[in-house]
Amino acid sequence: FCAGKGHGAARARARDASVSLLQNAEAITTGFNALVSAAAEDGVRYMELFVSPLRHCRAGMTPRAVLEAFLAAREQRAREGCRVDVGFVITVNAATDDPVSFFEIAQLTCDLVHGDGRGSVVGFGVTGRIEVGEFRLYRRTFEYLKRNYVNVCVAAGFSEPQTVLEALQQWSAGRISGAFSIHQDPALMAYLANRDVPIELSLSSTFDACTEHMRSFAHPVRLLLDNDIRVLMCSIECNFSSHSRSEMLLRVAEECNFSTALLLKLLSHGFRRSFQSHEHRQKLFRSFWSESTSILRASGFQHFKRKRYYMRPVLGQ
């Protein structure tokens, strides 16, 4: 299920090959177990897994049957005592899926968010590049999601920062994936910071290519954090690489010249800005804080505090 290290088109082929195998409930269970086991080995405590049900229907499964297979696999791992808590974000692709499919998957997502998948299905996501002005084609879908209080994550801002604003205002996105071009518009960066909109970043070949021009003056992750924008690190590329999540984080920490406090702050965003309920997010964050500070105390750190209002971790020397 996990391919070897590769770049660009090679990784895309590896992902497509993996999906092509996951066309029945047994294969989906096997693939899910492989993902969760790898995450557990890396010390992951919470993971949001993006699932595109339409890509798993080539052998006759329905989108609902696909999602039921993922949910059953999650429940089985939970019964076995797995420490990795998993939330599913149900996705569609703007480049390959038509507006009718968008709406049908949105309806299915709503049914699961408020029904049998409560606490397991946590949101709706849109992948693929969307051009300025195309958001209106999917207005019906996102008005429906808004009425049903469903969390939405949209991939936007790959080359035009304006698409980030459209995703927020027209699609009511609660989280943006990518946003590689927002540094071109300082006012937009301030808008995101003021409204506490998190940016989801995956350290992939696409990320490297789209942010190459930024690196002469700042690392993209450090630039966003320094402008008070919440960054969520997406680790899906680790499943198609020989590098672990710890190695990925070490690379980010070294390239960004992070202090221990700033690294802890970055990691905390993954718990505090997840799509889970407020109560569940707080529970995840408290567990993260307890485990992290225990590790740091063993390494010589002595004083810890969290700012009262913003819960931003500050470390003593």
Side-chain angles (χ1 to χ4, degrees), residues 289 293 303-308 311-316:
W289 182 260
T293 52
H303 306 290
F304 305 91
K305 67 177 181 178
R306 288 177 290 160
K307 290 188 177 179
R308 180 178 180 83
M311 304 291 284
R312 295 174 184 169
V314 178
L315 297 181

Side-chain angles (χ1 to χ4, degrees), residues 153-304:
C153 177
V154 177
F158 287 90
S159 57
E160 297 179 288
Q162 180 63 25
T163 58
V164 172
L165 197 59
E166 290 192 5
L168 295 173
Q169 295 181 342
Q170 296 188 34
W171 285 9
S172 299
R175 199 160 77 201
I176 299 295
S177 180
F180 303 135
S181 63
I182 62 170
H183 66 285
Q184 301 173 18
D185 189 342
L188 177 59
M189 292 184 69
Y191 181 91
L192 296 176
N194 290 338
R195 286 157 181 78
D196 204 22
V197 177
I199 301 296
E200 183 181 88
L201 293 178
S202 174
L203 300 186
S204 62
S205 54
T206 301
F207 171 82
D208 292 337
C210 291
T211 61
E212 183 178 4
H213 59 289
M214 296 173 57
R215 295 170 184 269
S216 59
F217 59 89
H219 189 282
V221 175
R222 185 65 190 250
L223 179 65
L224 294 177
L225 290 175
D226 286 348
N227 282 274
D228 211 22
I229 295 175
R230 307 288 188 266
V231 176
L232 306 182
M233 300 305 299
C234 173
S235 62
I236 188 62
E237 288 294 322
C238 293
N239 298 298
F240 304 94
S241 168
S242 60
H243 298 298
S244 69
R245 289 168 175 82
S246 296
E247 291 170 325
M248 181 190 76
L249 283 170
L250 179 60
R251 171 193 160 189
V252 174
E254 290 177 341
E255 291 180 351
C256 295
N257 192 28
F258 279 162
S259 65
T260 305
L262 196 53
L263 179 59
L264 197 63
K265 177 181 178 180
L266 174 65
L267 291 173
S268 73
H269 293 163
F271 300 99
R272 296 182 55 241
R273 303 301 299 173
S274 75
F275 275 166
Q276 286 288 352
S277 66
H278 174 75
E279 182 180 0
H280 198 152
R281 290 199 309 269
Q282 291 297 98
K283 179 181 177 181
L284 289 168
F285 178 76
R286 285 193 296 268
S287 177
F288 155 75
W289 182 260
S290 176
E291 288 194 56
S292 298
T293 52
S294 294
I295 292 170
L296 289 169
R297 282 192 181 94
S299 300
F301 288 90
Q302 309 239 339
H303 306 290
F304 305 91

Side-chain angles (χ1 to χ4, degrees), residues 63-141:
R64 180 176 287 277
V66 169
L67 295 176
E68 287 175 348
F70 275 103
L71 289 170
R74 177 189 184 275
E75 291 174 4
Q76 179 61 35
R77 289 303 296 254
R79 286 195 295 269
E80 294 171 356
C82 179
R83 294 195 68 186
V84 182
D85 190 359
V86 180
F88 295 109
V89 177
I90 312 306
T91 69
V92 288
N93 191 304
T96 60
D97 300 329
D98 59 78
V100 175
S101 297
F102 263 58
F103 189 70
E104 291 174 349
I105 299 302
Q107 288 179 307
L108 177 57
T109 302
C110 289
D111 289 345
L112 293 171
V113 166
H114 300 298
D116 294 340
R118 183 186 296 271
S120 302
V121 176
V122 297
F124 182 86
V126 181
T127 61
R129 299 195 182 194
I130 302 174
E131 304 300 327
V132 173
E134 290 184 351
F135 288 84
R136 59 183 175 78
L137 300 175
Y138 307 97
R139 183 172 300 164
R140 178 190 177 205
T141 296

Side-chain angles (χ1 to χ4, degrees), residues 43-55:
V44 172
R45 291 293 178 266
Y46 177 71
M47 174 172 65
E48 286 187 352
L49 183 62
F50 280 44
V51 176
S52 180
L54 294 173
R55 298 189 69 190

Side-chain angles (χ1 to χ4, degrees), residues 19-28 53-63 65-66:
V19 171
S20 69
L21 298 173
L22 305 181
Q23 299 299 322
N24 58 64
E26 182 180 358
I28 286 172
L54 294 173
R55 298 189 69 190
H56 300 276
C57 297
R58 300 171 189 172
M61 293 186 77
T62 63
V66 169

